[in-house]
Amino acid sequence: MDKCNSFLDHQIDIPTKLFETFKTKPARKFKSNQVIYRQEEIAHNFYYLKEGIVQVFVNSSDGLEKILKIYKNGEVFGEASFFDGFPRMSSAKTLSDSEIITINKTDIMSYFQKEPFLALNFIELLSQKVRMLSNEIDNISFLSAEKRIAQYLISMNRYKNQPINCTHEDIGKSVGVSRITVSKTLKKFSNYEWICTRYKQIFILNKNSLLEFLDA
């Protein structure tokens, strides 16, 4: 059997009650590589990703792009600027054909009035994201390039029997290293039989070894 066809599953969901609430709204269909919102826009909505893949990124004044997060089915994005009222600090676009539900202030107030406990759910969700962001800052500061790449692969290893769809450049932009460093590291991990690579796809074969490498 091809080693690339079997690897472990990992997924972080939004609270179940929020998931059930948000998914009842009609979804809008987006084509792959379609912009959802742009950096500096005022946020009148946030979004629930019913189906597909969304990339959130920032552009510097000199045109460089930094990938902040990749979202998949069942996740919420774009909510920070929606709640603080400041212009968006990032942009978002689809990486595949997607179905996205738009949540506005009327929606969220209606949800909270009907079921106040949902507000607590949402605070929990935002707290998790703050914690994840803090961890990412620590990782950039203290982890080696190879460990940052290993952690990226683990974080993207969410769906059983499905590849991680990304390029070496995507990984480099996400973890702050060069494409050459990514290529060398992936080759090393492949030689260890921790991963298997194909064109724009990576399969995790031995997640435990990657985790042990991170803890070393």
Side-chain angles (χ1 to χ4, degrees):
M1 179 181 293
D2 188 341
K3 293 184 295 183
C4 286
N5 288 331
S6 178
F7 63 97
L8 297 176
D9 178 44
H10 173 72
Q11 185 172 359
I12 299 174
D13 291 322
I14 65 172
T16 301
K17 193 66 176 178
L18 282 177
F19 175 88
E20 296 296 333
T21 300
F22 290 156
K23 74 176 184 180
T24 59
K25 282 200 70 181
R28 175 185 169 189
K29 293 185 178 181
F30 286 75
K31 295 293 186 183
S32 180
N33 204 37
Q34 185 173 346
V35 173
I36 303 163
Y37 60 78
R38 298 184 187 276
Q39 199 168 324
E40 304 296 340
E41 288 181 351
I42 298 299
H44 299 293
N45 310 290
F46 66 97
Y47 303 91
Y48 170 75
L49 182 55
K50 183 176 181 180
E51 186 75 28
I53 306 173
V54 167
Q55 173 183 292
V56 173
F57 60 97
V58 295
N59 291 108
S60 64
S61 57
D62 55 3
L64 295 177
E65 181 181 296
K66 162 70 175 174
I67 298 172
L68 299 180
K69 177 73 175 172
I70 304 293
Y71 291 95
K72 295 191 177 180
N73 303 356
E75 294 188 294
V76 168
F77 63 98
E79 74 283 0
S81 296
F82 171 82
F83 283 105
D84 69 21
F86 289 96
R88 293 196 184 276
M89 298 181 64
S90 62
S91 301
K93 67 179 181 181
T94 55
L95 296 183
S96 69
D97 289 351
S98 302
E99 294 185 29
I100 299 172
I101 293 172
T102 299
I103 311 294
N104 58 37
K105 288 186 178 180
T106 301
D107 293 325
I108 202 69
M109 291 304 298
S110 175
Y111 296 151
F112 291 169
Q113 287 171 0
K114 290 177 181 177
E115 298 191 56
F117 191 73
L118 287 180
L120 179 59
N121 284 162
F122 212 90
I123 291 171
E124 292 172 352
L125 174 65
L126 295 176
S127 297
Q128 290 172 9
K129 289 197 173 184
V130 169
R131 184 182 297 274
M132 289 174 63
L133 179 59
S134 298
N135 288 337
E136 288 176 8
I137 292 171
D138 289 342
N139 292 340
I140 291 173
S141 302
F142 302 111
L143 288 183
S144 68
E146 289 186 348
K147 287 192 174 183
R148 276 181 270 163
I149 293 168
Q151 188 166 70
Y152 173 89
L153 296 176
I154 291 169
S155 70
M156 294 298 291
N157 176 215
R158 310 178 117 186
Y159 297 97
K160 194 171 183 178
N161 297 325
Q162 292 294 322
I164 301 168
N165 296 303
C166 63
T167 66
H168 293 191
E169 185 177 6
D170 291 337
I171 298 174
K173 287 179 179 179
S174 295
V175 303
V177 301
S178 69
R179 184 184 58 78
I180 293 174
T181 298
V182 174
S183 297
K184 289 181 178 179
T185 301
L186 293 182
K187 183 176 181 180
K188 180 177 180 179
F189 291 171
S190 183
N191 288 339
Y192 290 161
E193 297 189 347
W194 296 350
I195 65 171
C196 173
T197 60
R198 293 177 179 168
Y199 179 67
K200 293 185 179 181
Q201 292 184 327
I202 301 171
F203 295 80
I204 292 182
L205 305 177
N206 193 331
K207 186 176 183 179
N208 288 336
S209 290
L210 283 172
L211 290 169
E212 289 171 4
F213 173 70
L214 277 175
D215 291 337

